[in-house]
Amino acid sequence: MKVLVAVKRVVDYNVKVRAKADGSDVDLNNVKMAINPFCEIAVEEAVRLKEAGVATEVVAVSVGPKACQEQLRTALALGADRAVQVEVDGMVEPLVVAKLLKGVVEKESPQLVILGKQSIDGDNNQTGQMLGALTNMAQGTFASEVKVDGDSVTVTREIDGGLQTVKLALPAIVTTDLRLNEPRYASLPNIMKAKKKPLDVFTAADLGVAVSTHVTQVKVEPPAERQAGVKVEDVATLVDKLKNEAKVIA
Amino acid sequence: MSLDFDSARMYNPNITESHIAWRDQLRRFMENEVIPYVEEWEEACELPLSLWPKAAEIGLLGMGYPEEFGGIKEGIDVWHSWIVNEELARVGAGGVGASLMVHGIGLPPVINFARPEVKQAVAPKVLAGEAWISLGITEPSGGSDVANLQTTARREGNEYVVSGSKTFITGGMRANWVSTAVRTGGPGPGGVSMLLIPTDAPGFSRTPLNKKQGWWASDTATLYFDEVRVPVTNLIGEENQGFKVIMHNFNSERMGMAAQMEAYGRVCLEDAVIWARERKTFGKRLADHQVIRHKVSAMKQKLNATQAYIRACYEQIEMGQPNAADIALLKVQASEVMEFCAREAMQILGGAGYLRGNRIERIYREVRVNAIGGGSEEIMRDLAARQYQL
């Protein structure tokens, strides 16, 4: 079974992001970039499937500029067998990413596609679902457990009320939630070996996809700074403030 | 531009994608497996044995050692080492790196000079984190004066019989083997040999040296050899040629220490700047007082110079032309800068820095072990003057 796993290059989760002075975007100048944490979980799950003898090949794919090859190398160091980059510059919205991934799915014919449920930059939470619709494949989103059994996969989903278990016919799409697994460290020998693993580059045109935009980013601004709190004398004052100032109780 | 640990590192054109990937993984490892437990290990005066196999797993223990012993050598260069030393220093507890990586001084004599069967018996276990090796040079009678060491090994048939003592031995309480400098011949450097002594041999004993100024997490020991019998096949290098083996270690040990000391200085800068930006006195931030601004700039200035010096020495090593005199003086440069940064950071943090449980307080206490261990500042200057044929 071949597993395709998508990875995205995003700002490292440790970085405190800042908006550009003109409010046009987040300032990415000299900012540390990393593999999106949910994508890292996706890679780990794919590699575990391979180690368990379920998957025979793990292919990592990323849509982005040349620099996203760094994140593909990370995926290769974590255990993916080869990588595919779809080279696109500038901002690409989820629908276009999904279309490009569909192109890769058609080339690779994987039995399972694993994606992060969302990326920590855009927080869109759309790509996996859109890919499911475009490819007409079953989807199990927000996975906290994935079990492949013959020609089906059982996915435990983290939903608002608790857990929901769905059984999907393969080929299928899974998006990962935070508790699915704890990604390993890429060891130094594996980092060095990853340099030699194959990495193919395609353009959007190669996949027959036009990079279009449907959404315009109007403005990026930092959240308002929180006002300092106040200490109240007694419960009566608190209730009064909650009623009349904050107006959160009647 | 800012002054955190990473931003305060000057540009280095030698750094490639694989170096960055290595730093990322190492940092994740330190943040998850080491940093949360530092206080606990410091108080316990030792590291948990489970840390070594984990460090082996990510390739930290085996880095730079031959693949046949479970190491990774292909494609590894000095810049990978620099990164390891920086990330160890960033933990802010020197005892962790000193103890975890003590095979870095204990194992190379074995790998470079011991018999093949001895290497095979020792190296794979050490690099897998399943056994431990230390280096035994310093004696209660003296440290820097290696040529006059007094522990003797007299030959009896196929064995050496070792008598004497070693002290300040890092990792000594845990070591399964000690690469030990012993006197097999006459006085002076020409009578010194290196011998691999197993610590389960009858007549071997040890006591802990836990009451130290710094490096608490590192198990330091005094070792006693009471007529310890060691097979002659455990000789490391030729008999009476031990001095060469000992010298062989020095450049890489000093480079590692220099790289760590600069990084400790950078930790001091980082934590002092965070504090100076938050703390308000006389109606403004500490960072707005000129006297504090100058302290911060002076720290950065000295760190920059040290980084450039480290890079120059590493580049020479990478070309196969290490300069022992420049490396010796680099160690002095780095310990002076570490001392300066620890002092200035402590002044900026004030009482907050004086309380236990922060990196500055610990680094301040660990200046001396760096300025003395691995070749004291005085010995380094003297060595350089001799090398320069003054």
Side-chain angles (χ1 to χ4, degrees):
Chain A
M1 182 179 87
K2 188 194 279 188
V3 179
L4 184 71
V5 54
V7 301
K8 184 177 180 185
R9 175 183 171 87
V10 297
V11 173
D12 186 274
Y13 73 94
N14 282 308
V15 173
K16 212 174 151 190
V17 291
R18 272 190 276 230
K20 280 183 180 171
D22 63 4
S24 62
D25 204 349
V26 168
D27 190 356
L28 293 183
N29 208 11
N30 282 327
V31 166
K32 183 170 164 47
M33 305 296 280
I35 188 168
N36 177 45
F38 291 104
C39 301
E40 202 171 20
I41 292 169
V43 176
E44 176 68 31
E45 195 64 19
V47 173
R48 288 187 191 186
L49 286 173
K50 190 179 173 195
E51 286 169 344
V54 176
T56 48
E57 190 184 25
V58 176
V59 182
V61 56
S62 188
V63 174
K66 189 165 196 311
C68 79
Q69 290 186 7
E70 281 173 34
Q71 281 63 47
L72 285 172
R73 291 286 171 206
T74 304
L76 293 170
L78 288 169
D81 298 294
R82 59 189 175 87
V84 173
Q85 182 211 355
V86 181
E87 187 147 350
V88 182
D89 284 315
M91 198 148 56
V92 212
E93 57 194 62
L95 180 58
V96 177
V97 175
K99 285 180 180 172
L100 292 166
L101 289 179
K102 179 185 176 233
V104 177
V105 166
E106 282 166 1
K107 271 185 184 297
E108 297 283 347
S109 312
Q111 286 296 96
L112 190 62
V113 185
I114 312 182
L115 307 88
K117 71 168 180 178
Q118 68 194 63
S119 57
I120 60 167
D121 50 1
D123 272 346
N124 288 305
N125 191 343
Q126 294 174 359
T127 305
Q129 293 88 329
M130 286 174 166
L131 181 62
L134 291 173
T135 55
N136 205 22
M137 278 156 73
Q139 52 177 293
T141 51
F142 317 138
S144 64
E145 201 180 350
V146 175
K147 272 191 210 148
V148 177
D149 185 17
D151 51 5
S152 69
V153 56
T154 307
V155 178
T156 306
R157 308 181 60 231
E158 297 201 0
I159 57 171
D160 281 349
L163 298 173
Q164 180 194 46
T165 304
V166 293
K167 190 172 176 184
L168 317 169
L170 294 174
I173 287 173
V174 168
T175 74
T176 62
D177 216 319
L178 212 54
R179 279 162 287 272
L180 178 57
N181 60 50
E182 215 172 291
R184 70 195 64 192
Y185 305 104
S187 72
L188 182 57
N190 288 339
I191 290 171
M192 302 310 278
K193 278 181 207 147
K195 293 206 276 192
K196 293 175 187 157
K197 289 185 179 175
L199 191 159
D200 295 318
V201 182
F202 296 107
T203 61
D206 293 339
L207 302 171
V209 176
V211 178
S212 51
T213 46
H214 309 81
V215 179
T216 313
Q217 185 166 290
V218 181
K219 198 173 166 193
V220 172
E221 57 185 8
E225 277 197 36
R226 280 183 63 178
Q227 298 291 317
V230 287
K231 260 190 186 166
V232 292
E233 287 291 314
D234 47 35
V235 175
T237 324
L238 175 67
V239 171
D240 177 64
K241 280 184 180 291
L242 289 174
K243 254 186 195 164
N244 301 315
E245 252 179 63
K247 296 188 168 59
V248 289
I249 55 173
Chain B
M1 288 288 285
S2 64
L3 294 165
D4 60 71
F5 187 80
D6 292 311
S7 312
R9 180 191 311 114
M10 293 203 300
Y11 172 69
N12 179 353
N14 301 293
I15 298 299
T16 65
E17 218 177 75
S18 81
H19 295 113
I20 295 168
W22 176 225
R23 184 192 297 285
D24 286 349
Q25 294 302 321
L26 209 47
R27 176 145 321 170
R28 251 182 79 209
F29 179 81
M30 295 297 169
E31 295 204 329
N32 294 332
E33 312 289 343
V34 175
I35 292 173
Y37 312 106
V38 163
E39 297 294 332
E40 193 186 312
W41 298 343
E42 283 279 287
E43 295 300 330
C45 291
E46 62 181 12
L47 303 178
L49 295 185
S50 58
L51 185 61
W52 278 270
K54 287 184 195 169
E57 182 78 32
I58 63 158
L60 180 56
L61 297 189
M63 196 186 85
Y65 295 97
E67 276 81 0
E68 57 175 311
F69 303 126
I72 162 124
K73 198 160 191 174
E74 198 195 331
I76 302 303
D77 55 28
V78 293
W79 315 113
H80 290 100
S81 308
W82 194 356
I83 288 166
V84 166
N85 283 298
E86 279 187 86
E87 295 303 316
L88 286 171
R90 189 173 165 275
V91 170
V96 174
S99 189
L100 180 62
M101 302 298 284
V102 69
H103 71 295
I105 54 176
L107 191 59
V110 173
I111 299 252
N112 295 321
F113 299 100
R115 286 177 172 71
E117 62 272 23
V118 175
K119 292 184 203 186
Q120 229 12 285
V122 173
K125 282 186 182 167
V126 170
L127 297 182
E130 292 161 1
W132 295 271
I133 188 167
S134 287
L135 180 71
I137 307 281
T138 297
E139 301 187 343
S141 61
S144 301
D145 190 6
V146 181
N148 288 311
L149 60 89
Q150 292 172 12
T151 297
T152 58
R154 85 175 177 272
R155 178 90 184 243
E156 274 185 18
N158 288 331
E159 291 175 326
Y160 286 109
V161 183
V162 182
S163 293
S165 176
K166 297 285 172 185
T167 194
F168 307 138
I169 305 308
T170 300
M173 288 310 292
R174 190 174 12 86
N176 302 88
W177 301 276
V178 183
S179 296
T180 314
V182 292
R183 185 162 301 286
T184 44
V192 174
S193 299
M194 285 297 286
L195 190 62
L196 185 73
I197 303 181
T199 57
D200 58 1
F204 175 89
S205 60
R206 48 189 157 191
T207 51
L209 292 173
N210 279 345
K211 299 280 184 187
K212 304 189 291 286
Q213 185 177 25
W215 279 18
W216 294 353
S218 169
D219 58 308
T220 311
T222 298
L223 314 179
Y224 307 94
F225 308 98
D226 180 14
E227 300 281 295
V228 177
R229 294 186 166 269
V230 182
V232 288
T233 46
N234 275 25
L235 196 62
I236 301 171
E238 301 297 313
E239 192 175 80
N240 294 332
Q241 299 291 311
F243 221 68
K244 201 176 74 187
V245 178
I246 297 170
M247 299 304 233
H248 198 267
N249 250 350
F250 280 156
N251 282 340
S252 73
E253 184 185 3
R254 286 171 193 156
M255 285 307 300
M257 289 185 77
Q260 283 193 30
M261 287 188 275
E262 187 279 329
Y264 284 125
R266 221 171 330 127
V267 169
C268 292
L269 176 74
E270 175 173 76
D271 286 357
V273 165
I274 291 171
W275 181 256
R277 283 185 170 138
E278 275 175 13
R279 174 80 163 167
K280 286 199 172 67
T281 59
F282 307 104
K284 54 185 176 183
R285 303 181 311 160
L286 266 187
D288 292 322
H289 293 282
Q290 192 183 47
V291 67
I292 301 297
R293 299 174 76 80
H294 284 193
K295 277 187 195 297
V296 169
S297 291
M299 287 162 80
K300 182 68 166 81
Q301 171 205 334
K302 287 171 199 282
L303 289 168
N304 283 356
T306 311
Q307 286 173 30
Y309 190 170
I310 291 171
R311 191 178 129 195
C313 287
Y314 268 140
E315 279 173 346
Q316 276 191 298
I317 291 172
E318 197 62 9
M319 289 187 301
Q321 297 161 353
N323 183 323
D326 285 349
I327 292 171
L329 291 186
L330 169 64
K331 186 174 177 288
V332 180
Q333 164 77 15
S335 55
E336 286 181 348
V337 169
M338 180 184 176
E339 183 167 1
F340 177 83
C341 291
R343 179 193 194 281
E344 295 299 75
M346 193 62 115
Q347 288 301 113
I348 292 171
L349 263 75
Y354 196 68
L355 294 177
R356 273 204 197 149
N358 72 87
R359 295 194 291 183
I360 306 293
E361 183 272 332
R362 221 182 287 116
I363 290 170
Y364 190 87
R365 282 190 282 108
E366 294 182 347
V367 167
R368 295 267 67 83
V369 67
N370 281 284
I372 296 167
S376 72
E377 290 178 349
E378 293 72 16
I379 292 286
M380 292 299 93
R381 286 203 176 92
D382 191 57
L383 180 140
R386 263 185 287 128
Q387 293 275 322
Y388 296 132
Q389 298 175 350
L390 179 69

